[in-house]
Amino acid sequence: MAASNGESPRTLQNFIFGKYVDPIQAASCKYIPVTTPHTGKVIAQCPLSTAEDIDKAVESAKEAFKTWGARTVKDRVQFLIRFHNLLYTHIDELADLIVLEHGKNKAEAMASIAKGAETVEYAMSLPQLIQGKILDVSRGVTCNDTRVPLGVVASIVPFNFPIMVPMWSLPIAIATGNTLILKPSEKVPLTMNRVVALLKEAGIPDGVVNLVNGTVDAVNAICDHPDIKAVTFVGTSHVANLVTERCQKLEKRVLALGGAKNHLIASPDCNIETTSTDVVNSFSGCAGQRCMAASVLLIIGSQPELLERIIVKATALQSGSKSGEVGPVIDKASLDKITSYIEASERGGAKILVDGRPWTQSHAEGFWIGPTVILHSNKEDKALHDEIFGPVLSIYQCSNKEEAIEIENNNPYGNAACIYTTTGATAEWFISRFGAAMCGVNIGVPVPREPFSFGGINRSKFGNFVDITGDGGVEFFTWRRKVTTRWGQENLDPKLRM
């Protein structure tokens, strides 16, 4: 377990060829502190791996691929079935790690593990989903296709969901026959450090999944390595674009998910109680540190009762780690960024309806900021356009639905959008015009559930234009072998001819 209650911080290792190992240049390796956002105290030391460590992980994965890729998909998913069982056996332990290193409340941590397990369940069903096709295409000629793994692949994941986001790629990648190198976020490395041990306990052969800690040097080495055939990334749009360009220069398959600025729209006929509850849960849940969180609410017309209910519910939220409470943000840099957007909005004339800044003063330690609701009068306010990644909701009143859809369409991202209404025609009007790939009707966090795939458009997704889970994930981690066959009489041994 990580350090807590006065224990000495733990020094983390990489996980290569089925065992925990120190970085190759252990004597000169640099380490960075991992802090708990609740208090800011150091709970572990994370190594900054180099290209040599990536080379070692690739060597391990290449060796494992020789036999893992040759197994049948039915065989491979047996290991995932055992792993799925272990996730739930250890769900309390894993949730506590997430609470410790990320700051989510316990219920949010448990839910994120369950959501990650859903992708494992999808991967477990792949024997029924990737059977391939066969057809007589003309007299004496048949065509069939099969899925072929790429080889060694890599996944670079963010801090905001320490286990759920790695599960977007890991189970599908290995079930389809690839071997994987995972680089967790240096801000939350503890959870996946424990998960790889559970993969080994499940019997997954050594080298099929390797974990390498680090920051930019490790990322660059992954992108540049000639034996890594594909890379997935989740993070900011800026870095997603850099990763994509670096991989594409080497003609490497890449799928990079970026940031978001999600818009919820409240029609005049919306259910006020449902809408207000949903909006508050969406923008404040996980302390707003999720790419599907509401960050802008566009209210059509004057809806003072809806505004009042949002204010009341947001004000009532408490800080902490229990169900329904709001945890801290990940670090001081994040706290400072969030605060700066609130202050800039206030200076620009926006009205702070709910101010979360007092939480920072009331907590002597850690990185706390409470739910904040800002009513804007200027459509150019930066808080209405930039990804803040914290528990901040910007509200703007629109004169009509056309103005609301114009604002939503003009944002450069394309992750999520939602309409709140009790009228089917209104819902259809917005759904057909939203500039986002994941849309909702009366759902504040419209995350697709398996077998539906996750992924945005525009500045929310770069690289190969498939999604990261579901059939999009299968498409990304495999290529199709097509075989056209003719066994005419002239091709048979003379003894076998009729």
Side-chain angles (χ1 to χ4, degrees):
M1 289 291 291
S4 59
N5 299 323
E7 298 176 14
S8 298
R10 170 183 166 193
T11 300
L12 298 177
Q13 296 175 295
N14 296 328
F15 187 83
I16 297 174
F17 224 132
K19 59 185 178 181
Y20 292 101
V21 296
D22 290 326
I24 291 174
Q25 300 293 340
S28 59
C29 180
K30 296 179 181 179
Y31 289 79
I32 58 174
V34 180
T35 60
T36 174
H38 297 277
T39 64
K41 293 181 179 178
V42 177
I43 55 175
Q45 296 288 340
C46 179
L48 299 184
S49 301
T50 65
E52 290 181 273
D53 298 297
I54 299 300
D55 287 341
K56 195 68 176 177
V58 171
E59 179 185 333
S60 166
K62 284 180 66 177
E63 183 63 28
F65 179 70
K66 294 176 183 177
T67 52
W68 182 252
R71 290 176 182 260
T72 66
V73 64
K74 290 182 67 175
D75 186 14
R76 291 190 292 259
V77 301
Q78 299 307 311
F79 299 97
L80 285 177
I81 292 170
R82 293 195 285 273
F83 172 61
H84 180 270
N85 180 61
L86 288 169
L87 281 177
Y88 278 102
T89 300
H90 294 272
I91 191 169
D92 272 304
E93 175 196 354
L94 294 171
D96 287 341
L97 277 175
I98 293 171
V99 172
L100 175 69
E101 68 176 349
H102 177 272
K104 293 184 192 296
N105 70 44
K106 184 68 175 285
E108 291 169 341
M110 298 276 278
S112 73
I113 297 169
K115 185 68 177 71
E118 283 189 12
T119 314
V120 180
E121 292 159 11
Y122 175 83
M124 287 158 49
S125 69
L126 286 181
Q128 289 72 46
L129 298 176
I130 61 169
Q131 296 175 17
K133 298 176 290 186
I134 185 168
L135 182 68
D136 293 327
V137 294
S138 64
R139 184 172 298 179
V141 178
T142 62
C143 284
N144 73 283
D145 69 4
T146 55
R147 295 279 184 180
V148 181
L150 304 178
V152 180
V153 299
S155 185
I156 303 164
V157 295
F159 76 84
N160 59 324
F161 284 92
I163 192 169
M164 186 189 79
V165 174
M167 290 303 118
W168 284 354
S169 55
L170 187 154
I172 296 175
I174 66 174
T176 51
N178 304 283
T179 53
L180 178 72
I181 297 166
L182 176 75
K183 196 210 81 67
S185 168
E186 67 280 4
K187 297 180 181 181
V188 292
L190 297 170
T191 304
M192 287 307 297
N193 185 274
R194 178 69 179 103
V195 168
V196 291
L198 298 181
L199 288 164
K200 186 176 178 68
E201 187 177 340
I204 291 177
D206 295 345
V208 171
V209 177
N210 305 273
L211 182 148
V212 180
N213 295 286
T215 54
V216 64
D217 288 343
V219 171
N220 289 340
I222 286 170
C223 295
D224 295 344
H225 203 291
D227 291 326
I228 295 178
K229 304 301 182 184
V231 175
T232 67
F233 171 89
V234 180
T236 66
S237 293
H238 173 69
V239 180
N241 192 32
L242 293 176
V243 167
T244 299
E245 290 178 349
R246 194 162 188 136
C247 289
Q248 288 180 336
K249 285 181 181 178
L250 299 175
E251 298 182 349
K252 183 174 298 188
R253 191 176 293 199
V254 58
L255 173 58
L257 302 189
K261 192 68 177 176
N262 304 318
H263 292 68
L264 309 186
I265 299 177
S267 174
D269 68 337
C270 70
N271 182 294
I272 291 173
E273 196 61 31
T274 299
T275 303
S276 58
T277 297
D278 227 26
V279 168
V280 171
N281 289 341
S282 181
F283 92 84
S284 66
C286 299
Q289 298 174 122
R290 52 185 176 185
C291 65
M292 294 293 285
S295 52
V296 176
L297 172 64
L298 302 176
I299 296 178
I300 301 176
S302 177
Q303 299 189 49
E305 187 178 350
L306 174 60
L307 268 179
E308 181 59 31
R309 295 303 297 154
I310 290 171
I311 293 169
V312 169
K313 292 175 181 180
T315 303
L317 291 170
Q318 300 294 313
S319 63
S321 299
K322 297 178 182 177
S323 179
E325 294 179 338
V326 180
V329 296
I330 190 66
D331 56 22
K332 188 176 186 302
S334 179
L335 176 62
D336 290 345
K337 175 185 175 183
I338 295 164
T339 302
S340 71
Y341 274 97
I342 299 170
E343 292 172 348
S345 298
E346 191 171 39
R347 288 194 303 269
K351 185 177 181 181
I352 310 300
L353 302 180
V354 180
D355 194 345
R357 288 172 292 183
W359 283 25
T360 306
Q361 283 73 48
S362 64
H363 289 78
E365 298 178 309
F367 315 115
W368 298 85
I369 187 161
T372 299
V373 180
I374 307 172
L375 181 62
H376 298 268
S377 57
N378 183 357
K379 278 196 285 190
E380 303 306 314
D381 286 351
K382 293 189 71 175
L384 279 167
H385 303 281
D386 296 351
E387 184 180 39
I388 300 174
F389 223 61
V392 177
L393 178 69
S394 289
I395 298 179
Y396 185 81
Q397 183 174 310
C398 301
S399 57
N400 52 48
K401 64 182 182 181
E402 287 78 14
E403 183 183 15
I405 201 67
E406 179 183 14
I407 292 172
E408 191 278 335
N409 285 179
N410 284 341
N411 95 93
Y413 301 100
N415 230 39
C418 176
I419 174 65
Y420 284 91
T421 180
T422 54
T423 306
T426 301
E428 289 299 319
W429 191 92
F430 278 98
I431 291 297
S432 65
R433 290 167 173 80
F434 276 144
M438 294 176 283
C439 301
V441 177
N442 301 323
I443 296 177
V445 185
V447 175
R449 306 290 290 269
E450 276 65 31
F452 296 94
S453 294
F454 183 100
I457 55 175
N458 302 330
R459 294 284 297 174
S460 292
K461 183 166 67 176
F462 301 80
N464 291 74
F465 288 97
V466 293
D467 290 330
I468 201 167
T469 57
D471 57 3
V474 172
E475 193 70 33
F476 181 79
F477 286 116
T478 62
W479 56 274
R480 294 174 187 261
R481 176 181 286 131
K482 287 78 64 177
V483 180
T484 304
T485 305
R486 181 175 63 193
W487 290 109
Q489 290 291 309
E490 66 277 9
N491 294 320
L492 295 177
D493 185 294
K495 295 177 182 179
L496 298 178
R497 292 177 182 171
M498 296 296 292

